[in-house]
Amino acid sequence: MSAQAKLLTAVVILCVIGGGLAGYKSQKLGVPFWQDKRVDEWLVEAKLSFLATGKDVEARLALPANGVDEKTGQESGSLGYHYHVDRDDGEYTALWSAKNREEAQALYYRVRFKTGSGGGEPIEATGEPQASEIAKLPGSLGAAAEGVVSQAKSVTSNPDALFVRFFQRINSPESSQEYAMIRRYYEGEYFANPDIAMGIDLLGMAGVPARIAYGVELNEDTGAQDPLPLLEYFDGFAWKVRNPAEPTKAINGNDIFVWQRGGGSLFEVTGGENSRLSFTVVRDRIPLASLTDLQESPLLIATILALPVSERSVFRYIVLIPLGAFVVVLMRNIIGVPTLGTFMPVLLALALLEIAPVKGILMFTILVGAGLWFRFLLSRMNLLVVPRVAACVVIVTLLMMLMSVIGYRLGFSVGVKITLFPMIIIAWTLERMSLIWEEEGKQSAIIQVAGSLVVAVFAFYFMKISQIQYWAFYFPEMLLVLLAGILLIGRYTGYRLSELIRFKTFSNA
Amino acid sequence: MGVVGINMRNARFLLPNNPRRLYELVDNKLRTKALAEERGMTVAETYGVVRTPHDASRIEKILDGKTAFVIKPTRGSGGKGIMVIDKKVGKNFIKPSGVEVTPGDLKNHVSNILAGLFSLGGKRDFALIEYRVQPAKLLTDMSFQGAPDIRVVMLHGYPVMAMLRAATKESDGRSNLHQGALGIGIDIATGMSVRAIHHGNPVTHHPDVGVGLIGVQIPNWNTMLKMAVTCQEMTGLGYLGVDIMIDETMGPLMIEVNARPGLAIQMANGIGLMNRLEPIVAEHRRKPAADLAAKIAFSKKHFQAKLPAPRV
């Protein structure tokens, strides 16, 4: 078979497999092919991690009542643990147990639900809730607290209004001396969530039963997050839950998912230490029913979707790298843009995805400019190559720190994300650029760096298209089609656009 | 027009004809020279090879009183890392441009070569010290400093196209066309210069020294063609460029073989490479076992250019 025929066969096979799998997924399994037809569902994963001490382990995790009730999806993934859900008076608890565990352990519990069903609705109380016991405040503080409460009660006795009033003042303690004083006391007494403890006590003194609840912030970009403390209070008919940081805003299920209510403890671990609960949140665009089909499909096309959420979010960026590589191929082999190193622009584009492109390019330019100047200073010392590159790495690191500090002082937060810039890449860019500068003149050095930036910006905008991101993440088999495209370009023997300019004297002759 | 672009050069001529394993023969100048000497070709005499940092520290001993020489990395490309020394004044060495080089600078340059600064892919490398070619006066007259060389592009052992590369003030003694050196097209049949370009535009006279560039007869042309064909035979590469310099006393010297010759040669000759590569592919298919003389005769017969009036 000739090379041409082999290539065409490979291209056809790749297109058939890639396109076929994607078609199967969207036609048979109902995964929407176009992004705007998506179903918005949230997937919240709780990860309970701890260090087992070698004894029997028992772990309990309070579960969101609406996550278990409403037939929303739920699953628990933890190898080798006995697991069951305990139901007690409308409250659910997941229980894991295992014998003789050692070293680090991680237990997962996942809940998915539709956007808007965040579990913030009032619950009717069973029985008459009693105002919680109030810790006695010492001396003058007790008097201050009573003053504050009676002042509030003289204005209103509505539990909602009291809640808002207390927390507005707790959140800005400078508004009143009494609040500041009481708050300082709670900060000393309570290690975690002093604000909420104070709010609960003040509400209790005003005759409103209140207790702590926990929620999860529905924000994909935060990565692993700690439980968000919320407050539940009884308004005479039902328990209402609110976020004390935003006392006037009702929880509508779009920004916060209420994980646990009822005032019990969120989790408990016996037989382990350093236990920690964290949540990861992703917006899922595939209906639950299709997802189950996907994960059980023998074709293994669930791929990414079968992973724990915390690992899945890593792939949000990894699946974009082939797209960037494709842009590089286009720009170099069809257009003929000169770049410094072949795939440096892809890494640069990934960094731009994290930082805003204008800021990112500005930072890159400053770093390279300053680094280049230092590199020329170094070249006067006649250092050998490897130590010189290492010296560049050190200088680039220091420059990044400096930029972060200056950026912070000027009020930009770019500096914080700067570490994402691949430092070694920048150091090598400096080294290669200065070599080209010396060997071929500054013009070609600048052209090549500018070319790299242009390619990076194109790759960035390509990777930024949300439909493209959607396909890459939910239809990774489409990458096979992309691969076929790259193979085809690999045999493109026509002119590069830049060569039309280079050879233009021929058309004049 | 038949102009070949980089994609086509790579996909149709480089990749199928130049197997990866043969690149080592030409990327390492020591091996190329050894092969050439086996075939009885004239090359620049090797004064010494620096292989270890220890050798580098006693470089003056290796030089053994030589005052004119060239230091180059054995795996360099594109003229990177080549240092030319013309004479010695006191302890210091003098480059053609008149810049002084101290023995310390020299050692440092050799150390950089050993560390792989100039080699392909940054691999560790050796430094080659060899005879400083004294280019024939006819050629130095056509160049602003620097040593002009002649590049012959070959396919399957057939000479395809040739050009002379001459330095200008702008190119700073180098013969890289994209840095502003002149490319002077040479007729394959006769060895006479037919066209010249500077930055892709046709010129007739050297921009710095003012001498006419067209209609110059290159001496020893037939020897050079034979040299080029022999280089193809000894390396086995299908598509390659052979760089030759003409020494005032020793005549043509093979300098290096390039497995990825550039495309500017088309502009220097004013003709697309495709016009010549396709007939060669057909001829090679017809007579796979043609010998050296037959190949040269074929190229001379088919690739004859319209000759200008000889330069007075």
Side-chain angles (χ1 to χ4, degrees), chain B residues 53 75 113-116 119 122-126:
Chain B
R75 292 167 177 281
I113 292 178
L114 293 183
S119 69
K123 270 190 260 175
R124 294 190 68 81
D125 203 358
F126 302 145

Side-chain angles (χ1 to χ4, degrees), chain A residues 333-334 382-385 388 431 435 438-440 490-496 499 502-503 505-507 509, chain B residues 1 3-8 11 80 108 111-112 115 117-118 174 178-179 200-201 263-264 266-267 270-271:
Chain A
N333 278 44
I334 308 281
N382 288 328
L383 302 180
L384 291 180
V385 190
R388 194 168 59 204
E431 181 61 26
L435 267 192
E438 280 166 20
E439 297 279 343
E440 297 177 24
R491 287 297 299 177
Y492 168 75
T493 58
Y495 296 117
R496 298 174 179 182
E499 285 174 340
R502 183 180 173 197
F503 296 134
T505 43
F506 274 92
S507 50
Chain B
M1 295 181 300
V3 180
V4 173
I6 290 189
N7 291 331
M8 188 185 287
K80 288 197 183 89
N108 193 43
S111 302
N112 274 336
L117 185 54
F118 308 105
R174 295 162 202 268
H178 67 271
Q179 288 171 24
N201 299 314
L263 300 168
Q266 314 179 84
M267 289 181 290
I271 182 166

Side-chain angles (χ1 to χ4, degrees), chain A residues 410-438:
Chain A
L410 295 179
F412 303 122
S413 61
V414 258
V416 186
K417 286 185 169 177
I418 199 168
T419 40
L420 286 163
F421 256 124
M423 284 212 301
I424 307 291
I425 298 284
I426 289 195
W428 267 116
T429 303
L430 289 178
E431 181 61 26
R432 292 180 66 153
M433 193 178 166
S434 54
L435 267 192
I436 293 171
W437 193 294
E438 280 166 20

